Amino acid sequence: MRVMLAEDSTLLREGLVRLLAEEGHRVEAAVGDGDALIAAVAAGPPDVVVVDVRMPPSHTDEGLRAALEIRRRWPDVGVLVLSQYVEKRYAAELIIADTAGVGYLLKDRVAQVDEFLDALERVGGGGAAFDPEVVRRLLAAHGAQGDPLARLTPRERDVLDTMAQGHTNASIAAHLHISQSAVEKHVNAIFDKLDLSHATGYSRRVLAVLRYLGS
């Protein structure tokens, strides 16, 4: 897979370059700010970019703005955002824009190499990958406003948490140690309770739920 990195920490950036190369991916650019990333993508779009939210010059949202610009101009390029913290507004903005080929991980997750690489593969393949902590915060924020999520059972909430991370029904079943048919039953119940039964396609599984959570 062809990957581009944008991370202002030289140590982390070089570490990611080595990790991805060792895993057989081709790192076509590794830069330290959002403008350089956009310039690199414009010169030859990769399969996926990995971008830090906070980068120079202001260290606020340069990386996120670069990610959204890449999504707008090159929608086929997967975007995996890394952040030190759960930044709910930024996560919701990215999710609302489009969750096909989008991921949001906390940087601590990078240290769990298998999970990071799994997320990268899913995003590069057009799927979604969201850090469980990010999903939990979005669910909590939305639930605090008083919404249909309160109608979900604990198990349905577990399924929604895992589904919103971008996992398939089979993967959810493996994570929660239940059968795939049980997952399908819970997913249908979730859509009914969230009034999403009439949505279609992939959005009915993950994307519409995430947009709903971020709305």
Side-chain angles (χ1 to χ4, degrees):
M1 191 158 55
R2 296 172 297 119
V3 183
M4 291 184 179
L5 303 172
E7 165 60 57
D8 60 313
S9 166
T10 303
L11 185 62
L12 179 55
R13 186 171 69 240
E14 292 304 318
L16 287 172
V17 169
R18 290 190 180 187
L19 171 63
L20 293 173
E22 289 172 358
E23 293 296 326
H25 300 300
R26 192 166 73 220
V27 180
E28 299 193 332
V31 300
D33 62 73
D35 289 341
L37 176 63
I38 291 176
V41 173
D47 298 311
V48 61
V49 297
V50 179
V51 53
D52 187 12
V53 168
R54 299 185 179 189
M55 289 192 293
S58 72
H59 294 279
T60 55
D61 62 353
E62 285 85 350
L64 193 284
R65 285 191 281 111
L68 293 173
E69 177 71 7
I70 289 168
R71 293 295 295 168
R72 185 182 67 81
R73 295 173 60 182
W74 300 280
D76 292 334
V77 175
V79 173
L80 179 59
V81 172
L82 302 180
S83 179
Q84 190 71 40
Y85 309 102
V86 178
E87 304 186 61
K88 294 192 287 290
R89 181 172 67 85
Y90 294 151
E93 187 174 357
L94 187 66
I95 290 168
I96 291 169
D98 191 353
T99 53
V102 172
Y104 190 114
L105 294 184
L106 295 181
K107 284 189 173 178
D108 289 346
R109 198 70 57 185
V110 176
Q112 301 175 39
V113 174
D114 289 343
E115 291 189 25
F116 169 68
L117 293 174
D118 176 65
L120 184 71
E121 292 282 356
R122 278 191 279 153
V123 170
F130 291 92
D131 194 288
E133 182 62 15
V134 174
V135 173
R136 189 185 70 76
R137 295 288 186 88
L138 289 175
L139 287 169
H142 201 68
Q145 299 170 10
D147 70 275
L149 288 171
R151 289 183 283 172
L152 301 184
T153 66
R155 177 55 84 186
E156 288 165 354
R157 185 174 287 267
D158 290 340
V159 170
L160 177 59
D161 283 346
T162 314
M163 182 171 65
Q165 294 165 34
H167 290 280
T168 63
N169 281 1
S171 182
I172 293 171
H175 273 72
L176 299 181
H177 304 292
I178 57 179
S179 68
Q180 189 167 331
S181 62
V183 171
E184 292 168 355
K185 179 180 177 182
H186 289 310
V187 168
N188 287 332
I190 290 168
F191 288 144
D192 286 341
K193 292 181 179 180
L194 299 185
D195 298 323
L196 295 169
S197 297
H198 298 296
T200 59
Y202 189 45
S203 62
R204 204 164 80 98
R205 283 195 38 80
V206 180
L207 308 184
V209 174
L210 288 174
R211 291 194 181 104
Y212 177 81
L213 294 173
S215 64

